[in-house]
Amino acid sequence: QLEKNIEEGIFDKPQVDLNLKKMIQQARMAKKFSQKDLANNLKIKPEIIRDIENGKLIPNNMMIANLSRVLGVKLPRNKKK
């Protein structure tokens, strides 16, 4: 499934971005959301949030925008290649 999502452009290929994953995790915890709560708000599987926070998956700019909206914080976007 992850490979299918990567192919469809929902997520970029995995790379570790320590700053982004840390910001997402801290914002989630500040909202008192579990990974499951955040996933439910975004209508995605909790495993995706876990993989993002573990640095196994880097969200694309559309997902970052959705995370920003739900978490109420400004998250850095990926640079265009």
Side-chain angles (χ1 to χ4, degrees):
Q1 180 66 29
L2 178 58
E3 287 76 21
K4 183 180 177 195
N5 286 336
I6 290 171
E7 287 172 15
E8 292 174 359
I10 297 171
F11 298 99
D12 293 332
K13 292 213 184 298
Q15 301 171 332
V16 177
D17 183 337
L18 298 175
N19 194 35
L20 178 61
K21 73 178 193 173
K22 192 174 191 179
M23 289 177 74
I24 292 169
Q25 186 176 39
Q26 288 174 342
R28 175 181 61 78
M29 292 169 67
K31 281 272 210 183
K32 297 186 178 10
F33 281 176
S34 67
Q35 290 179 342
K36 185 176 181 179
D37 294 334
L38 179 55
N40 287 339
N41 274 285
L42 293 167
K43 297 177 177 47
I44 60 175
K45 293 181 180 181
E47 293 80 15
I48 294 174
I49 300 300
R50 182 196 62 216
D51 288 348
I52 290 171
E53 289 185 0
N54 288 335
K56 294 179 181 176
L57 189 63
I58 299 297
N60 67 12
N61 286 335
M62 186 171 64
M63 177 57 74
I64 293 172
N66 289 335
L67 284 162
S68 292
R69 179 181 46 79
V70 169
L71 294 172
V73 297
K74 178 105 171 108
L75 297 170
R77 302 295 200 270
N78 294 320
K79 292 178 176 59
K80 292 187 179 186
K81 296 172 186 169

Coordinates of all heavy atoms in Angstrom, one line a residue:
Q1 N 0.8 -1.2 0.0 CA 0.0 0.0 0.0 C 0.9 1.3 0.0 O 0.6 2.2 -0.7 CB -0.9 0.0 1.2 CG -1.8 1.2 1.3 CD -2.9 1.3 0.2 OE1 -3.3 0.3 -0.4 NE2 -3.2 2.5 -0.2
L2 N 1.9 1.3 0.8 CA 2.8 2.4 0.9 C 3.4 2.7 -0.5 O 3.4 3.9 -0.9 CB 3.9 2.2 1.9 CG 5.0 3.3 2.0 CD1 4.3 4.6 2.4 CD2 6.0 2.9 3.1
E3 N 3.8 1.7 -1.2 CA 4.4 1.9 -2.6 C 3.4 2.5 -3.5 O 3.7 3.3 -4.3 CB 4.9 0.6 -3.1 CG 6.2 0.1 -2.5 CD 6.0 -0.5 -1.1 OE1 4.9 -1.0 -0.8 OE2 7.0 -0.5 -0.3
K4 N 2.1 2.0 -3.4 CA 1.0 2.6 -4.2 C 0.8 4.1 -3.9 O 0.7 4.9 -4.8 CB -0.3 1.8 -3.9 CG -1.4 2.3 -4.8 CD -2.7 1.5 -4.5 CE -3.8 2.0 -5.3 NZ -5.1 1.5 -4.8
N5 N 0.8 4.4 -2.6 CA 0.7 5.9 -2.2 C 1.9 6.7 -2.7 O 1.7 7.8 -3.2 CB 0.6 6.0 -0.7 CG -0.7 5.6 -0.2 OD1 -1.7 5.5 -0.9 ND2 -0.8 5.2 1.1
I6 N 3.1 6.1 -2.7 CA 4.2 6.9 -3.2 C 4.0 7.1 -4.7 O 4.2 8.2 -5.3 CB 5.5 6.1 -2.9 CG1 5.8 6.2 -1.4 CG2 6.7 6.7 -3.7 CD1 7.0 5.3 -1.0
E7 N 3.6 6.0 -5.4 CA 3.4 6.1 -6.9 C 2.3 7.1 -7.2 O 2.4 7.9 -8.2 CB 3.0 4.7 -7.4 CG 4.1 3.7 -7.5 CD 3.6 2.3 -7.9 OE1 2.5 2.2 -8.4 OE2 4.3 1.4 -7.7
E8 N 1.3 7.2 -6.4 CA 0.2 8.2 -6.6 C 0.5 9.6 -6.2 O -0.2 10.5 -6.4 CB -1.1 7.7 -5.9 CG -1.7 6.4 -6.4 CD -2.8 5.9 -5.6 OE1 -3.2 6.5 -4.6 OE2 -3.4 4.9 -6.0
G9 N 1.7 9.8 -5.6 CA 2.2 11.1 -5.3 C 1.6 11.6 -4.0 O 1.8 12.8 -3.7
I10 N 1.0 10.7 -3.2 CA 0.5 11.2 -1.9 C 1.7 11.5 -0.9 O 1.6 12.4 -0.1 CB -0.5 10.1 -1.3 CG1 -1.7 10.0 -2.2 CG2 -0.9 10.5 0.1 CD1 -2.6 8.9 -1.9
F11 N 2.7 10.6 -1.0 CA 3.9 10.8 -0.2 C 5.1 10.8 -1.1 O 5.2 10.1 -2.1 CB 4.0 9.7 0.9 CG 2.8 9.7 1.8 CD1 1.8 8.8 1.6 CD2 2.8 10.5 2.9 CE1 0.7 8.8 2.5 CE2 1.7 10.6 3.7 CZ 0.7 9.7 3.5
D12 N 6.1 11.5 -0.6 CA 7.4 11.4 -1.3 C 8.2 10.2 -0.8 O 7.8 9.6 0.2 CB 8.2 12.7 -1.0 CG 7.6 13.9 -1.6 OD1 6.9 13.8 -2.6 OD2 7.8 15.0 -1.1
K13 N 9.2 9.8 -1.5 CA 10.0 8.7 -1.1 C 10.6 9.0 0.3 O 10.9 10.1 0.6 CB 11.2 8.4 -2.1 CG 10.6 8.0 -3.5 CD 11.6 7.0 -4.1 CE 11.2 6.6 -5.5 NZ 10.0 5.9 -5.6
P14 N 10.7 7.9 1.1 CA 11.2 8.1 2.5 C 12.6 8.7 2.5 O 13.5 8.3 1.8 CB 11.2 6.7 3.0 CG 10.3 5.9 2.2 CD 10.4 6.5 0.8
Q15 N 12.7 9.7 3.4 CA 14.0 10.4 3.7 C 13.8 10.9 5.2 O 12.6 11.2 5.5 CB 14.3 11.6 2.9 CG 14.4 11.3 1.4 CD 14.5 12.6 0.6 OE1 14.1 13.6 1.1 NE2 15.2 12.5 -0.5
V16 N 14.8 11.0 5.9 CA 14.6 11.4 7.3 C 14.8 13.0 7.3 O 15.8 13.5 6.9 CB 15.7 10.8 8.2 CG1 15.6 11.3 9.6 CG2 15.5 9.3 8.2
D17 N 13.7 13.6 7.8 CA 13.8 15.1 8.0 C 13.5 15.2 9.5 O 12.3 15.3 9.9 CB 12.8 15.8 7.2 CG 12.8 17.3 7.4 OD1 13.3 17.7 8.4 OD2 12.4 18.0 6.5
L18 N 14.5 15.3 10.3 CA 14.4 15.3 11.8 C 13.5 16.5 12.3 O 12.7 16.3 13.2 CB 15.7 15.3 12.4 CG 16.6 14.0 12.2 CD1 18.0 14.2 12.8 CD2 16.0 12.8 12.7
N19 N 13.7 17.6 11.7 CA 13.0 18.8 12.1 C 11.5 18.7 11.9 O 10.7 18.9 12.8 CB 13.6 20.0 11.4 CG 13.1 21.3 12.0 OD1 13.0 21.4 13.2 ND2 12.9 22.3 11.2
L20 N 11.1 18.2 10.7 CA 9.7 18.1 10.4 C 9.0 17.1 11.2 O 8.0 17.3 11.8 CB 9.5 17.8 8.9 CG 8.1 17.6 8.4 CD1 7.2 18.9 8.7 CD2 8.0 17.2 7.0
K21 N 9.6 15.9 11.4 CA 9.0 14.9 12.2 C 8.9 15.3 13.6 O 7.8 15.0 14.3 CB 9.7 13.5 12.0 CG 11.0 13.4 12.7 CD 11.6 12.0 12.5 CE 12.7 11.7 13.4 NZ 13.2 10.4 13.4
K22 N 9.8 16.0 14.1 CA 9.8 16.4 15.5 C 8.7 17.5 15.7 O 8.0 17.5 16.7 CB 11.2 17.0 15.9 CG 11.4 17.3 17.3 CD 12.8 17.7 17.6 CE 13.2 17.7 19.1 NZ 14.5 18.0 19.3
M23 N 8.6 18.4 14.7 CA 7.6 19.5 14.8 C 6.2 18.8 14.8 O 5.3 19.3 15.5 CB 7.7 20.4 13.6 CG 9.0 21.3 13.8 SD 9.1 22.4 12.3 CE 7.8 23.6 12.6
I24 N 6.0 17.8 13.9 CA 4.7 17.2 13.8 C 4.3 16.5 15.2 O 3.2 16.7 15.7 CB 4.6 16.2 12.7 CG1 4.7 16.9 11.3 CG2 3.4 15.3 12.7 CD1 4.9 16.0 10.1
Q25 N 5.3 15.8 15.7 CA 5.1 15.1 17.0 C 4.8 16.0 18.1 O 3.9 15.8 18.9 CB 6.3 14.2 17.3 CG 6.1 13.3 18.5 CD 7.3 12.4 18.7 OE1 8.4 12.8 18.6 NE2 7.0 11.2 19.1
Q26 N 5.6 17.1 18.2 CA 5.4 18.1 19.3 C 4.0 18.8 19.1 O 3.3 19.0 20.1 CB 6.5 19.1 19.3 CG 7.8 18.5 19.8 CD 9.0 19.5 19.7 OE1 8.9 20.5 18.9 NE2 10.1 19.2 20.4
A27 N 3.6 19.1 17.9 CA 2.3 19.8 17.7 C 1.2 18.8 18.1 O 0.2 19.2 18.7 CB 2.2 20.2 16.3
R28 N 1.3 17.6 17.7 CA 0.3 16.5 18.0 C 0.2 16.4 19.5 O -0.9 16.4 20.1 CB 0.7 15.2 17.4 CG -0.3 14.1 17.8 CD 0.1 12.8 17.1 NE 1.4 12.3 17.5 CZ 1.7 11.7 18.7 NH1 0.8 11.5 19.6 NH2 2.9 11.2 18.9
M29 N 1.3 16.3 20.2 CA 1.3 16.2 21.7 C 0.7 17.4 22.4 O 0.0 17.3 23.3 CB 2.7 15.8 22.2 CG 3.1 14.4 21.7 SD 4.8 14.0 22.0 CE 4.9 13.9 23.7
A30 N 1.0 18.6 21.8 CA 0.5 19.8 22.4 C -1.0 19.9 22.3 O -1.7 20.4 23.2 CB 1.1 21.0 21.7
K31 N -1.6 19.3 21.2 CA -3.0 19.2 21.0 C -3.7 18.1 21.8 O -4.9 17.9 21.8 CB -3.4 19.0 19.5 CG -3.3 20.2 18.7 CD -4.6 20.9 18.7 CE -4.8 21.6 17.4 NZ -6.1 22.4 17.4
K32 N -2.8 17.3 22.5 CA -3.2 16.1 23.2 C -3.9 15.1 22.3 O -4.8 14.4 22.7 CB -4.1 16.5 24.4 CG -3.4 17.4 25.5 CD -4.3 17.6 26.6 CE -3.7 18.4 27.8 NZ -2.5 19.1 27.7
F33 N -3.4 15.0 21.1 CA -3.8 14.0 20.2 C -2.9 12.7 20.3 O -1.7 12.9 20.3 CB -3.7 14.5 18.7 CG -4.8 15.4 18.3 CD1 -4.7 16.0 17.0 CD2 -5.9 15.7 19.1 CE1 -5.7 16.9 16.6 CE2 -6.9 16.6 18.7 CZ -6.8 17.2 17.4
S34 N -3.5 11.6 20.2 CA -2.8 10.4 20.0 C -2.5 10.3 18.5 O -3.1 11.1 17.7 CB -3.5 9.1 20.4 OG -4.7 8.9 19.6
Q35 N -1.6 9.4 18.1 CA -1.4 9.2 16.6 C -2.7 8.8 16.0 O -3.0 9.2 14.8 CB -0.3 8.2 16.4 CG 1.1 8.6 16.8 CD 2.2 7.6 16.6 OE1 1.9 6.4 16.4 NE2 3.4 8.0 16.5
K36 N -3.5 8.0 16.6 CA -4.8 7.5 16.1 C -5.7 8.7 15.9 O -6.4 8.8 14.9 CB -5.4 6.5 17.0 CG -6.6 5.9 16.4 CD -7.1 4.8 17.3 CE -8.4 4.1 16.7 NZ -8.9 3.0 17.6
D37 N -5.8 9.6 16.9 CA -6.6 10.8 16.8 C -6.3 11.7 15.6 O -7.1 12.1 14.9 CB -6.5 11.7 18.1 CG -7.0 11.0 19.4 OD1 -7.9 10.2 19.3 OD2 -6.5 11.4 20.5
L38 N -5.0 11.9 15.5 CA -4.5 12.7 14.3 C -4.9 12.0 13.0 O -5.4 12.7 12.1 CB -3.0 13.0 14.4 CG -2.4 13.8 13.3 CD1 -3.1 15.1 13.1 CD2 -0.9 14.0 13.6
A39 N -4.6 10.7 12.9 CA -4.9 10.0 11.7 C -6.4 10.1 11.4 O -6.8 10.3 10.2 CB -4.5 8.5 11.9
N40 N -7.3 9.9 12.4 CA -8.7 10.0 12.2 C -9.1 11.4 11.7 O -10.0 11.5 10.8 CB -9.5 9.7 13.5 CG -9.4 8.2 13.9 OD1 -9.2 7.4 13.0 ND2 -9.7 7.9 15.1
N41 N -8.5 12.4 12.2 CA -8.8 13.8 11.7 C -8.4 14.0 10.3 O -9.0 14.8 9.5 CB -8.1 14.8 12.6 CG -8.9 15.2 13.8 OD1 -9.8 16.0 13.7 ND2 -8.5 14.7 15.0
L42 N -7.3 13.3 9.9 CA -6.8 13.4 8.5 C -7.4 12.3 7.6 O -7.2 12.3 6.4 CB -5.3 13.3 8.5 CG -4.6 14.4 9.1 CD1 -3.1 14.0 9.4 CD2 -4.7 15.7 8.3
K43 N -8.2 11.4 8.1 CA -8.8 10.3 7.4 C -7.8 9.4 6.7 O -7.9 9.1 5.6 CB -9.9 10.8 6.4 CG -11.0 11.5 7.0 CD -12.0 12.1 6.0 CE -13.2 12.8 6.6 NZ -13.1 13.7 7.7
I44 N -6.7 9.1 7.5 CA -5.7 8.2 7.1 C -5.4 7.2 8.2 O -6.0 7.3 9.3 CB -4.4 8.9 6.7 CG1 -3.8 9.7 8.0 CG2 -4.6 9.9 5.6 CD1 -2.5 10.3 7.8
K45 N -4.6 6.2 7.9 CA -4.4 5.1 8.8 C -3.3 5.6 9.9 O -2.4 6.3 9.5 CB -3.8 3.9 8.1 CG -4.8 3.2 7.2 CD -4.2 2.0 6.6 CE -5.3 1.3 5.7 NZ -4.7 0.1 5.1
P46 N -3.5 5.2 11.1 CA -2.5 5.6 12.2 C -1.1 5.2 11.9 O -0.2 5.9 12.3 CB -3.0 4.8 13.4 CG -4.5 4.6 13.2 CD -4.6 4.4 11.7
E47 N -0.9 4.1 11.1 CA 0.4 3.7 10.7 C 1.2 4.7 9.9 O 2.4 4.8 10.0 CB 0.4 2.4 9.9 CG -0.1 1.2 10.7 CD -1.7 1.1 10.8 OE1 -2.4 1.8 10.1 OE2 -2.1 0.3 11.7
I48 N 0.4 5.5 9.2 CA 1.1 6.6 8.4 C 1.6 7.6 9.3 O 2.8 8.1 9.1 CB 0.1 7.1 7.4 CG1 -0.3 6.1 6.3 CG2 0.6 8.4 6.7 CD1 -1.4 6.5 5.4
I49 N 0.9 8.0 10.3 CA 1.4 9.0 11.3 C 2.6 8.5 12.0 O 3.6 9.1 12.2 CB 0.3 9.4 12.3 CG1 -0.9 10.0 11.6 CG2 0.9 10.4 13.4 CD1 -0.6 11.3 10.8
R50 N 2.5 7.2 12.4 CA 3.7 6.5 13.1 C 4.9 6.6 12.2 O 6.0 6.9 12.6 CB 3.3 5.1 13.4 CG 4.5 4.4 14.1 CD 4.3 2.9 14.1 NE 4.3 2.4 12.8 CZ 3.6 1.4 12.3 NH1 2.8 0.7 13.1 NH2 3.7 1.0 11.1
D51 N 4.7 6.2 10.9 CA 5.9 6.2 10.0 C 6.4 7.6 9.7 O 7.6 7.8 9.6 CB 5.5 5.6 8.6 CG 5.3 4.1 8.8 OD1 5.7 3.5 9.8 OD2 4.8 3.4 7.8
I52 N 5.6 8.6 9.7 CA 6.0 10.0 9.5 C 6.9 10.4 10.7 O 8.0 11.0 10.6 CB 4.9 11.0 9.3 CG1 4.2 10.8 7.9 CG2 5.3 12.4 9.5 CD1 2.9 11.5 7.7
E53 N 6.3 10.1 11.9 CA 7.0 10.5 13.1 C 8.3 9.7 13.4 O 9.2 10.2 14.0 CB 6.1 10.4 14.3 CG 5.0 11.5 14.3 CD 4.2 11.5 15.6 OE1 4.4 10.6 16.5 OE2 3.3 12.3 15.7
N54 N 8.4 8.5 12.8 CA 9.6 7.7 12.9 C 10.6 8.0 11.8 O 11.7 7.4 11.8 CB 9.3 6.2 12.9 CG 8.6 5.8 14.2 OD1 8.8 6.4 15.2 ND2 7.8 4.7 14.1
G55 N 10.3 8.9 10.9 CA 11.2 9.3 9.8 C 11.2 8.3 8.7 O 12.1 8.4 7.8
K56 N 10.3 7.4 8.6 CA 10.3 6.4 7.6 C 9.5 6.9 6.3 O 9.6 6.3 5.3 CB 9.6 5.1 8.0 CG 10.4 4.4 9.1 CD 9.7 3.1 9.6 CE 10.5 2.4 10.7 NZ 9.7 1.3 11.2
L57 N 8.8 8.0 6.5 CA 7.9 8.5 5.5 C 7.9 10.0 5.6 O 7.7 10.5 6.7 CB 6.5 7.9 5.7 CG 5.5 8.2 4.6 CD1 5.9 7.5 3.3 CD2 4.1 7.6 5.0
I58 N 8.1 10.7 4.5 CA 8.1 12.1 4.5 C 6.8 12.6 3.7 O 6.7 12.2 2.5 CB 9.3 12.7 3.8 CG1 10.6 12.3 4.5 CG2 9.2 14.2 3.7 CD1 10.7 12.8 5.9
P59 N 5.9 13.3 4.4 CA 4.7 13.7 3.7 C 5.0 14.7 2.6 O 5.9 15.5 2.7 CB 3.9 14.3 4.8 CG 4.9 14.8 5.8 CD 6.0 13.8 5.7
N60 N 4.2 14.7 1.5 CA 4.4 15.7 0.4 C 3.7 17.0 0.9 O 3.2 17.1 2.0 CB 3.8 15.2 -0.9 CG 2.3 15.0 -0.9 OD1 1.6 15.5 0.0 ND2 1.8 14.4 -1.9
N61 N 3.9 18.0 0.1 CA 3.4 19.4 0.6 C 1.9 19.4 0.8 O 1.4 20.2 1.7 CB 3.8 20.4 -0.4 CG 5.3 20.7 -0.3 OD1 5.9 20.5 0.7 ND2 5.9 21.2 -1.4
M62 N 1.1 18.6 0.1 CA -0.3 18.6 0.3 C -0.6 18.0 1.7 O -1.5 18.5 2.4 CB -1.0 17.8 -0.8 CG -2.5 17.9 -0.7 SD -3.4 17.2 -2.1 CE -2.9 15.4 -2.0
M63 N 0.0 16.9 2.0 CA -0.2 16.3 3.4 C 0.3 17.2 4.5 O -0.3 17.3 5.5 CB 0.5 15.0 3.4 CG 0.4 14.3 4.8 SD -1.3 14.0 5.4 CE -1.8 12.7 4.4
I64 N 1.5 17.9 4.2 CA 2.0 18.9 5.2 C 1.0 20.0 5.5 O 0.7 20.4 6.6 CB 3.4 19.4 4.8 CG1 4.4 18.3 4.8 CG2 3.8 20.6 5.7 CD1 5.8 18.7 4.2
A65 N 0.3 20.5 4.4 CA -0.7 21.5 4.5 C -1.9 21.0 5.4 O -2.4 21.7 6.2 CB -1.2 22.0 3.2
N66 N -2.3 19.7 5.2 CA -3.4 19.1 5.9 C -3.0 19.0 7.4 O -3.8 19.3 8.3 CB -3.8 17.8 5.3 CG -4.5 17.9 4.0 OD1 -5.1 19.0 3.7 ND2 -4.5 16.9 3.2
L67 N -1.7 18.5 7.6 CA -1.2 18.4 9.0 C -1.2 19.8 9.7 O -1.6 19.9 10.8 CB 0.2 17.8 9.0 CG 0.3 16.3 8.7 CD1 1.7 15.9 8.3 CD2 -0.2 15.5 10.0
S68 N -0.8 20.8 9.0 CA -0.7 22.1 9.5 C -2.1 22.6 9.9 O -2.3 23.2 11.0 CB -0.1 23.1 8.5 OG 1.2 22.9 8.3
R69 N -3.1 22.4 9.1 CA -4.4 22.8 9.3 C -5.0 22.1 10.6 O -5.5 22.7 11.5 CB -5.3 22.5 8.1 CG -6.8 22.9 8.3 CD -7.6 22.5 7.0 NE -7.4 21.2 6.5 CZ -7.9 20.0 7.0 NH1 -8.7 20.1 8.1 NH2 -7.6 18.9 6.4
V70 N -4.8 20.8 10.6 CA -5.4 20.0 11.8 C -4.7 20.3 13.1 O -5.3 20.4 14.1 CB -5.4 18.5 11.5 CG1 -5.7 17.7 12.7 CG2 -6.3 18.1 10.3
L71 N -3.4 20.5 13.0 CA -2.6 20.7 14.2 C -2.5 22.2 14.6 O -2.2 22.5 15.7 CB -1.1 20.2 14.0 CG -1.0 18.7 13.9 CD1 0.4 18.3 13.5 CD2 -1.5 18.0 15.1
G72 N -2.9 23.1 13.7 CA -2.9 24.5 14.0 C -1.5 25.1 14.1 O -1.3 26.1 14.9
V73 N -0.6 24.6 13.4 CA 0.8 25.1 13.4 C 1.3 25.2 11.9 O 0.8 24.6 11.0 CB 1.8 24.2 14.1 CG1 1.4 24.1 15.6 CG2 1.9 22.8 13.5
K74 N 2.3 26.1 11.7 CA 2.9 26.2 10.4 C 4.0 25.3 10.3 O 5.0 25.3 11.1 CB 3.4 27.7 10.3 CG 4.1 28.0 9.0 CD 3.2 28.8 8.1 CE 4.0 29.2 6.8 NZ 3.6 28.5 5.6
L75 N 4.0 24.3 9.4 CA 5.0 23.4 9.2 C 5.8 23.7 7.9 O 5.2 24.2 6.9 CB 4.4 21.9 9.1 CG 3.7 21.4 10.3 CD1 2.9 20.1 10.0 CD2 4.7 21.2 11.4
P76 N 7.1 23.5 7.9 CA 7.9 23.8 6.7 C 7.5 22.9 5.5 O 7.3 21.7 5.7 CB 9.3 23.6 7.2 CG 9.2 22.6 8.3 CD 7.9 22.9 9.0
R77 N 7.4 23.4 4.4 CA 7.1 22.6 3.2 C 8.4 22.1 2.6 O 9.5 22.6 2.8 CB 6.4 23.5 2.1 CG 5.1 24.2 2.5 CD 4.1 23.1 2.8 NE 2.7 23.7 2.8 CZ 2.1 24.2 3.8 NH1 2.7 24.2 5.0 NH2 0.9 24.6 3.7
N78 N 8.2 21.0 1.8 CA 9.4 20.5 1.1 C 9.8 21.4 0.0 O 8.9 22.0 -0.7 CB 9.0 19.1 0.5 CG 8.7 18.1 1.5 OD1 9.4 18.0 2.5 ND2 7.7 17.2 1.3
K79 N 11.1 21.5 -0.3 CA 11.6 22.4 -1.3 C 11.3 21.7 -2.7 O 11.4 20.5 -2.8 CB 13.1 22.6 -1.2 CG 13.4 23.5 0.0 CD 14.9 23.6 0.2 CE 15.3 24.5 1.3 NZ 14.8 24.1 2.6
K80 N 10.9 22.5 -3.7 CA 10.7 22.0 -5.0 C 12.0 21.6 -5.6 O 13.0 22.2 -5.4 CB 10.0 23.0 -5.9 CG 8.6 23.3 -5.4 CD 7.9 24.2 -6.4 CE 6.5 24.4 -5.9 NZ 5.7 25.1 -6.8
K81 N 12.0 20.5 -6.4 CA 13.2 20.0 -6.9 C 13.4 20.5 -8.3 O 12.5 20.8 -9.1 CB 13.2 18.4 -6.9 CG 13.2 17.9 -5.5 CD 12.9 16.4 -5.5 CE 12.8 16.0 -4.1 NZ 12.3 14.7 -3.9

